[in-house]
Amino acid sequence: MEVESDSAADQSRLAGETYYFCSRSCQAKFESDPARFVGRKDVIPVAPPKSLAKETSETALYTCPMHPEIERDQPGDCPICGMALELKTVSADSIEDHSELTDMCRRFWIGAALTLPVFLLAMSHLVPTAPSWMSGDLSRWLQFALSTPVVLWVGWPFFKRGWRSIRSWQPNMFTLIAIGVGVAFLYSAAVMLCPGVFPPSLAHHGKIGLYFEAAAMITVLVLLGQVLELRARSQTGSALRSLLQLAPSTARRVANGEERDVPLAEVKKGDHLRIRPGEKVPVDGSVTEGRTTVDESMLTGESLPVEKRPGDRVIGGTLNNTGSFIMEAEHVGQETLLAQIVQMVSEAQRSRAPIQRLADKVAGYFVPAVLLAAAVTFVAWFWIGPEPRLAYAIVNSVAVLIIACPCALGLATPMSIMVGVGRAAQGGILIKNAEAIERMEKVTTLVVDKTGTLTEGKPRLTKIIPARGINEDDLLAAAATAEQQSEHPLASAILSGAKERNLPLGEIMDFSSTTGGGVTASTPSGSILVGQSSFLRDHGVSGLEALEEKARELQAEGQTVIFAAIDNQAAGILAVADPIKESTPEALRELQRLGLNVIMLTGDNERTAQAVAKQLGIDQVEAGVAPGEKQERVKQWRKHAVVAMAGDGINDAPALAAADVGIAMGTGTDVAIQSAGITLARGDLRGIVNAIRLSKAVMRNIRQNLFFAFIYNVLGVPIAAGLLYPFFGLLLNPIIAGAAMSLSSVSVIANALRLRALRLSQARS
């Protein structure tokens, strides 16, 4: 521990020392004069006061996978459903807690070993050649001896959670299990220990029936369901940790002409890092030197390596192939895409879909209704049933309690969401919450931005047309000077063009940007305006008419035209072309085949937008739309359709937030990503196709699970209560009820796990 001291010398001397105290008096002396204890170590550790200890870690939070509103600062059980709490935030160095799974597995195997002979002894009367002792008193006492540890030790977690649910007035599945198993075992134990208190009418063939095998088998079967569920959850957590571990533990930092390996935690924004062939990219950033190809399949689902050259973005955790390059670190620690993916997936898996409200509402009334049904069953059999009435009443009421256990109902939605969100992340689709999955299935209209969504978002300067009396270099240098503080993709195209010509940029004294309009900059030599013609006209710029005809010709070719003015006088135009993404045409055709109405909504001018739309076969185009207007257009469309909006820029953020489902390109701005419900790591429309397919598969899976859970309980409870007995003489043995209950949970888990095999479309080579 570290000790605080007024003296710098004391601090130096005491730093890093560990102190132990043999008594409280020694501890008091330490508090008064810690310097006396330097180097002293005694055998009995007593923690020093908190005022002397330095906090080194943040408090971990635990939450319930089925009820994310429950949060605790230490492990425990959920007060609502009784499930064990899990770590809320997964990190690469967090240790996965397998203690509950290990404990349940141990209890299951011990319980199974003890229950098997109990079951064989109880069923021996069905075997004509069985020895006589197997149906005698020795057999009954053996069943009692073997089933007691099964119920009281193996099944102890169920009784503990069941009792807690009763005390807190939060009945759940463990309430029913504890009551059902407890009644069956206590009745049988009372028959063995106090046979004289029971009336002779309960005897069958001279002996009162025992139900030790039912209590033991139900306990083991419920444990089996718990083990399978815990293993499924463990696989999900392990997948997230393995994703985080994609990032290397060290990075090779380049500074002052030297290269040195440093721990990943020491890498800061702005550091230059060398990535050699075969190494993983340590953090997010951009290439500054060198060319290579990078395998991004682990994050984006793209099977083909992606070529990288100076200026291109690289993502932490991806694999460098053949070339060596130097990158500048831009996002480190929890800001990297890899860390954000894990955090987003983890939160989405704990979120609740609106469809779950139905299951929650039913479950709220279900357990009390089952307890009432079990009580009615007991009274009915005890009042009008055949002899032995008490035995029939106990057996059938226990069967009702066990078969109606709402395990499958509670698992139906969360398991599908957990597996579906994990599968989406493997395909480069990052889902913020379960609500986005449910809404995505219902989308009928897809609104897409042009720049960065349909196109590469990496515009290139194609033409410079100066006004009379100004040369090309002066026009480009002035425009680049004004744009050097802008984050717009068009600004980067102008700056790249100036850099290629080695043009010097002027100093900016004042800068302002108008979203969807342009920028203004004050320099020592005068003012510069760059943007749309309407933006310049609003600022009183003259001489624009002479340039607008040429601008219309370029726009008809699909190029974006930027006007520039110096000292309120038109200086010329710059044409920028943004190539359409290679995957866009195929993705749009697939979206239209899925029945979606695709609308292009862009702030670009009408001619450029129409030229791009014509190439892509998009019929409906809204061009020249300001950011605030985008939001209003989306709201209007929502009155008649379920709308998804896809974009990547700051100007798209309000519209993304206004849509039923906002879809951000992973190559876009942080503001856009934060406003969206779904983020596509790859950044192309193929991801939207996959997101729709996945949402349909997840919702279909949830409905299958809910249907099975509801039908199972609707049919199971009446049968367990004895509905078939008057007609066919059939009763449901509690063991069969326990097996059916466990089978229902296993079926729901197995059905949800099918989503892991869902095929998502890949790029075509």
Side-chain angles (χ1 to χ4, degrees):
M1 63 164 274
E2 296 183 8
V3 180
E4 296 180 0
S5 172
D6 294 333
S7 164
D10 284 347
Q11 285 186 344
S12 174
R13 211 161 32 144
L14 298 175
E17 291 290 337
T18 303
Y19 297 97
Y20 299 84
F21 308 100
C22 59
S23 67
R24 293 291 176 185
S25 61
C26 284
Q27 184 177 356
K29 293 177 182 177
F30 174 84
E31 294 174 14
S32 62
D33 187 8
R36 292 168 50 194
F37 285 76
V38 173
R40 175 175 172 176
K41 295 181 181 181
D42 292 321
V43 293
I44 303 175
V46 178
K50 288 186 178 179
S51 60
L52 296 173
K54 181 179 179 181
E55 298 292 337
T56 58
S57 62
E58 297 181 358
T59 302
L61 288 178
Y62 295 81
T63 186
C64 175
M66 291 189 187
H67 300 90
E69 69 273 16
I70 301 298
E71 290 187 357
R72 299 287 186 270
D73 58 0
Q74 58 187 358
D77 299 329
C78 174
I80 298 176
C81 66
M83 295 297 298
L85 301 180
E86 300 175 355
L87 270 174
K88 183 175 182 179
T89 303
V90 179
S91 61
D93 55 355
S94 63
I95 301 174
E96 189 172 2
D97 186 5
H98 292 287
S99 59
E100 186 186 20
L101 176 58
T102 303
D103 179 59
M104 289 292 186
C105 286
R106 180 172 60 249
R107 291 176 186 270
F108 169 74
W109 288 113
I110 293 174
L114 294 174
T115 299
L116 181 60
V118 174
F119 181 76
L120 294 175
L121 290 171
M123 298 295 108
S124 62
H125 65 278
L126 300 176
V127 182
T129 58
S132 58
W133 68 267
M134 294 185 71
S135 57
D137 289 340
L138 177 60
S139 171
R140 293 160 69 88
W141 282 105
L142 281 174
Q143 292 178 52
F144 180 32
L146 293 171
S147 62
T148 298
V150 174
V151 174
L152 299 185
W153 180 76
V154 173
W156 178 248
F158 304 149
F159 288 106
K160 186 172 66 173
R161 293 174 181 178
W163 174 243
R164 184 182 295 122
S165 70
I166 294 172
R167 283 198 312 167
S168 62
W169 293 95
Q170 294 279 3
N172 54 49
M173 57 177 280
F174 295 108
T175 314
L176 303 181
I177 294 171
I179 294 175
V181 173
V183 168
F185 178 78
L186 291 175
Y187 168 77
S188 302
V191 169
M192 291 298 300
L193 299 175
C194 308
V197 302
F198 294 92
S201 60
L202 288 178
H204 185 64
H205 296 300
K207 294 185 181 294
I208 301 175
L210 301 177
Y211 302 99
F212 288 124
E213 84 285 0
M217 283 293 294
I218 290 169
T219 301
V220 171
L221 289 170
V222 174
L223 265 174
L224 176 61
Q226 291 286 294
V227 167
L228 293 175
E229 181 185 343
L230 287 168
R231 281 188 173 168
R233 294 189 186 282
S234 176
Q235 290 174 3
T236 304
S238 298
L240 289 179
R241 287 180 175 82
S242 63
L243 191 62
L244 269 175
Q245 291 166 358
L246 287 174
S249 57
T250 61
R252 192 168 186 82
R253 185 159 57 194
V254 180
N256 301 322
E258 297 182 357
E259 298 183 9
R260 185 168 63 91
D261 289 336
V262 297
L264 189 62
E266 293 184 11
V267 176
K268 297 179 177 60
K269 292 181 183 179
D271 284 353
H272 285 75
L273 310 172
R274 178 174 294 281
I275 316 300
R276 293 169 292 190
E279 292 182 339
K280 290 181 178 179
V281 178
V283 296
D284 296 357
S286 57
V287 178
T288 57
E289 295 181 26
R291 298 179 64 173
T292 186
T293 57
V294 176
D295 180 2
E296 298 181 342
S297 59
M298 66 283 291
L299 290 180
T300 66
E302 173 61 72
S303 58
L304 298 176
V306 181
E307 184 178 356
K308 301 292 181 181
R309 59 184 69 187
D312 287 345
R313 183 188 183 199
V314 287
I315 306 170
T318 55
L319 181 65
N320 182 30
N321 284 339
T322 55
S324 175
F325 67 92
I326 294 178
M327 63 171 288
E328 181 179 344
E330 296 174 351
H331 300 283
V332 300
Q334 294 301 312
E335 295 179 2
T336 64
L337 178 61
L338 188 61
Q340 290 178 21
I341 287 174
V342 173
Q343 185 64 24
M344 190 180 295
V345 172
S346 181
E347 291 177 358
Q349 288 178 335
R350 292 192 303 271
S351 64
R352 300 160 75 84
I355 195 173
Q356 192 170 345
R357 294 171 190 158
L358 173 63
D360 291 342
K361 191 172 183 178
V362 172
Y365 297 101
F366 190 76
V367 175
V370 170
L371 291 173
L372 179 62
V376 171
T377 300
F378 181 90
V379 171
W381 279 93
F382 187 73
W383 187 259
I384 60 174
E387 294 292 350
R389 293 178 180 177
L390 179 60
Y392 276 121
I394 291 174
V395 169
N396 290 308
S397 59
V398 167
V400 169
L401 289 170
I402 298 303
I403 201 169
C405 188
C407 308
L409 189 61
L411 289 171
T413 302
M415 283 302 301
S416 297
I417 294 296
M418 286 181 66
V419 179
V421 169
R423 178 65 187 94
Q426 291 175 344
I429 305 167
L430 313 179
I431 299 172
K432 184 177 290 186
N433 52 54
E435 188 174 0
I437 298 179
E438 184 168 342
R439 288 184 174 180
M440 194 68 191
E441 181 205 28
K442 303 172 184 176
V443 167
T444 57
T445 298
L446 174 65
V447 181
V448 292
D449 179 45
K450 180 178 73 70
T451 305
T453 304
L454 299 175
T455 63
E456 293 285 354
K458 298 177 181 177
R460 294 193 298 268
L461 185 65
T462 57
K463 193 164 291 187
I464 304 171
I465 302 177
R468 183 174 298 178
I470 300 178
N471 64 50
E472 287 189 6
D473 285 353
D474 289 342
L475 171 61
L476 180 57
T481 296
E483 295 280 19
Q484 60 185 311
Q485 292 187 12
S486 174
E487 295 182 355
H488 197 282
L490 298 179
S492 63
I494 295 173
L495 288 166
S496 296
K499 186 176 181 181
E500 289 174 3
R501 298 192 182 198
N502 296 317
L503 299 178
L505 303 184
E507 178 187 353
I508 294 180
M509 298 183 296
D510 188 26
F511 173 86
S512 67
S513 174
T514 302
T515 304
V519 299
T520 61
S522 297
T523 68
S525 58
S527 64
I528 305 172
L529 284 85
V530 178
Q532 297 184 13
S533 59
S534 58
F535 173 76
L536 270 65
R537 187 172 284 107
D538 291 343
H539 283 74
V541 174
S542 59
L544 293 172
E545 295 79 8
L547 300 170
E548 287 180 337
E549 180 61 33
K550 186 61 179 177
R552 283 191 286 270
E553 295 176 6
L554 294 171
Q555 289 166 351
E557 297 172 3
Q559 299 190 56
T560 299
V561 177
I562 303 167
F563 288 77
I566 300 174
D567 292 333
N568 280 358
Q569 182 66 37
I573 56 176
L574 301 97
V576 174
D578 187 7
I580 295 172
K581 291 179 181 178
E582 186 178 347
S583 61
T584 296
E586 179 188 348
L588 283 173
R589 287 192 295 270
E590 185 62 30
L591 288 167
Q592 289 165 350
R593 279 196 293 268
L594 289 172
L596 268 69
N597 176 35
V598 181
I599 303 173
M600 181 197 293
L601 183 66
T602 178
D604 212 337
N605 67 81
E606 182 74 23
R607 293 183 181 84
T608 302
Q610 289 290 351
V612 173
K614 186 176 180 180
Q615 293 181 55
L616 296 174
I618 299 175
D619 297 327
Q620 190 170 348
V621 178
E622 297 272 351
V625 184
E629 294 174 348
K630 282 187 177 183
Q631 184 181 22
E632 291 304 317
R633 298 286 176 88
V634 169
K635 288 180 178 179
Q636 290 173 8
W637 286 320
R638 283 187 64 186
K639 296 176 182 178
H640 312 289
V642 180
V643 179
M645 167 73 189
D648 74 328
I650 294 175
N651 60 329
D652 297 320
L656 292 176
D660 290 289
V661 182
I663 304 172
M665 301 292 137
T667 51
T669 62
D670 292 341
V671 174
I673 292 173
Q674 290 168 7
S675 302
I678 295 176
T679 300
L680 308 178
R682 178 65 183 162
D684 65 41
L685 294 186
R686 222 174 18 241
I688 300 179
V689 176
N690 285 334
I692 293 173
R693 287 175 176 166
L694 187 130
S695 69
K696 291 181 182 294
V698 169
M699 295 310 299
R700 183 168 58 248
N701 194 275
I702 289 174
R703 292 189 185 100
Q704 291 168 351
N705 287 345
L706 287 174
F707 175 80
F708 179 80
F710 280 124
I711 291 299
Y712 159 81
N713 283 296
V714 167
L715 297 178
V717 171
I719 293 174
L723 181 65
L724 300 179
Y725 186 79
F727 307 101
F728 306 103
L730 296 177
L731 289 176
L732 190 65
N733 189 292
I735 294 177
I736 304 301
M741 182 269 292
S742 295
L743 181 61
S744 69
S745 299
V746 172
S747 300
V748 166
I749 294 170
N751 190 45
L753 291 176
R754 289 193 307 114
L755 291 170
R756 295 191 300 182
L758 181 67
R759 297 190 64 181
L760 301 177
S761 63
Q762 301 286 337
R764 294 182 181 179
S765 57

